[in-house]
Amino acid sequence: MPAPYLIFLGDTVEPGYAKTAFGLRDWAPERCIGEYALPGARVTAGLERMTPAEAAARGARALLIGVANPGGVIPQNWVPTLVAALESGLDLVAGMHARLADIPALRDTAAGLGRKLHDVRTPPAGIGVGSGLPRSGRRLLTVGTDCALGKKYTALAIARGLQARGIDAQFRASGQTGIMISGEGIAVDAVIADFAAGAVELLSPPAHPDHLDVIEGQGSLFHPSYAAVSLALIHGSQPDLFVVCHDPARIHILGHPAFPVPSVKAVIEQTMMIGRLTNPAIRCAGVSLNTSAFDEAEAERRCGEISARLGLPAADPIRGGAAFDRLLDACQG
């Protein structure tokens, strides 16, 4: 992954569609030189505004599409800007379902200028089916009551928190934004279903017995659309530990109002039952709460209540504090 990046926001008006830009801003600011948006855009990541040519002159190596819009499309009105970025000396990086290499103007321009197109949702070659067999090293997986509520942020916070304690821990990205933050990984949702568990085994290979891989979760076992990728991550990662991620303010599965958000207890039970297939010793380390909708006092109350009810540490990793320290303690064991 060529870095640093100029973050491209397109003509986005909905902040929820710019989660890739926000993720990079929050977790890899050293990889971000600035941002560029088209007229009409009403979303910003708060980075310095600059053109592709200005970014290239200041050391940028790629223009990165920081948008995850519905369907993962690259609109035609974006193409001239992407071509201009190539002409300015930048590679292109995207995590869309639509592939840069499938757009003739981008493919031909890149080939003529010796630039590269990085489609991070392209799985590596040679993925095999999952073996289900144990491998050395330890693994922690983040799972969720729903999609888009903090599994990536939780995995990153836990990995960095443990590293700060001197623990040999590494974040393993399983989605496009995580790959862009860490510079490597496999977008599991782009892998053919029969090979998805095998991709996760490849993502988290055998390691030293003291090493801990902190694996970014995807979707939810209770999500009517995305449960399959969650299942593959559980079977392929064979986690020794898992952390349940939950947004207490959310009532229904995102985009599916007919499906209520399950309880944290239900997710623990389901994950334990499924996870025992490839790791009979799987256990829950704790709960990560997304308390962004609450003030400090209410966030603390929510974490304390669920911790007392389940007998597990519960914290908002973004708020940190003593509660998050207790969650890190549990993740070490």
Side-chain angles (χ1 to χ4, degrees):
M1 295 281 294
Y5 313 126
L6 173 65
I7 307 300
F8 180 55
L9 293 164
D11 48 5
T12 307
V13 298
E14 169 53 54
Y17 297 154
K19 66 176 185 178
T20 297
F22 299 148
L24 285 160
R25 175 201 63 193
D26 293 341
W27 293 99
E30 74 284 354
R31 289 174 168 259
C32 305
I33 277 187
E35 67 178 53
Y36 182 72
L38 297 175
R42 296 203 298 269
V43 174
T44 177
L47 304 172
E48 183 178 350
R49 292 291 183 105
M50 60 184 70
T51 66
E54 290 169 339
R58 292 173 60 170
R61 296 179 59 201
L63 180 143
L64 183 148
I65 297 178
V67 178
N69 56 25
V73 299
I74 297 176
Q76 184 60 40
N77 68 307
W78 290 8
V79 173
T81 296
L82 301 180
V83 168
L86 292 168
E87 293 173 341
S88 297
L90 302 178
D91 287 356
L92 299 181
V93 179
M96 318 293 275
H97 285 296
R99 300 185 188 278
L100 297 166
D102 291 337
I103 299 174
L106 303 182
R107 182 181 63 242
D108 295 345
T109 302
L113 296 173
R115 304 264 69 83
K116 293 184 178 179
L117 305 177
H118 302 266
D119 285 302
V120 302
R121 258 200 171 112
T122 301
I127 297 175
V129 298
S131 71
L133 298 176
R135 55 197 187 276
S136 57
R138 299 187 303 131
R139 287 159 190 87
L140 181 151
L141 175 69
T142 55
V143 302
T145 55
D146 194 5
C147 65
L149 46 63
K151 293 181 291 296
K152 174 175 63 270
Y153 274 47
T154 298
L156 284 160
I158 290 173
R160 294 190 181 184
L162 293 177
Q163 289 166 1
R165 293 182 171 196
I167 304 299
D168 181 17
Q170 182 173 356
F171 170 75
R172 297 291 189 177
S174 63
Q176 71 273 21
T177 305
I179 293 171
M180 292 171 179
I181 291 169
S182 65
E184 61 182 3
I186 299 175
V188 178
D189 66 358
V191 178
I192 295 172
D194 278 359
F195 302 97
V200 182
E201 291 183 5
L202 184 64
L203 176 68
S204 176
H208 187 278
D210 292 333
H211 177 81
L212 177 68
D213 273 345
V214 183
I215 302 167
E216 173 194 12
Q218 299 291 331
S220 168
L221 289 173
F222 290 81
H223 199 292
S225 302
Y226 306 134
V229 68
S230 307
L231 182 67
L233 277 156
I234 293 172
H235 286 160
S237 67
Q238 303 167 13
D240 303 283
L241 305 166
F242 65 93
V243 171
V244 180
C245 303
H246 177 60
D247 181 350
R250 193 173 297 183
I251 299 173
H252 302 107
I253 296 292
L254 191 64
H256 296 267
F259 293 83
V261 171
S263 68
V264 171
K265 181 180 179 182
V267 173
I268 293 173
E269 292 172 348
Q270 190 84 321
T271 303
M272 293 283 289
M273 181 183 69
I274 290 171
R276 288 191 182 108
L277 176 66
T278 54
N279 187 348
I282 185 174
R283 66 182 179 87
C284 182
V287 180
S288 171
L289 292 184
N290 179 342
T291 63
S292 57
F294 308 112
D295 62 24
E296 189 72 30
E298 180 63 11
E300 185 175 348
R301 187 192 73 78
R302 297 262 181 169
C303 290
E305 186 275 331
I306 198 166
S307 179
R309 177 157 46 87
L310 297 175
L312 293 167
D316 184 330
I318 305 306
R319 293 183 186 270
F324 184 53
D325 286 337
R326 289 190 290 271
L327 180 58
L328 288 178
D329 290 342
C331 293
Q332 284 186 226

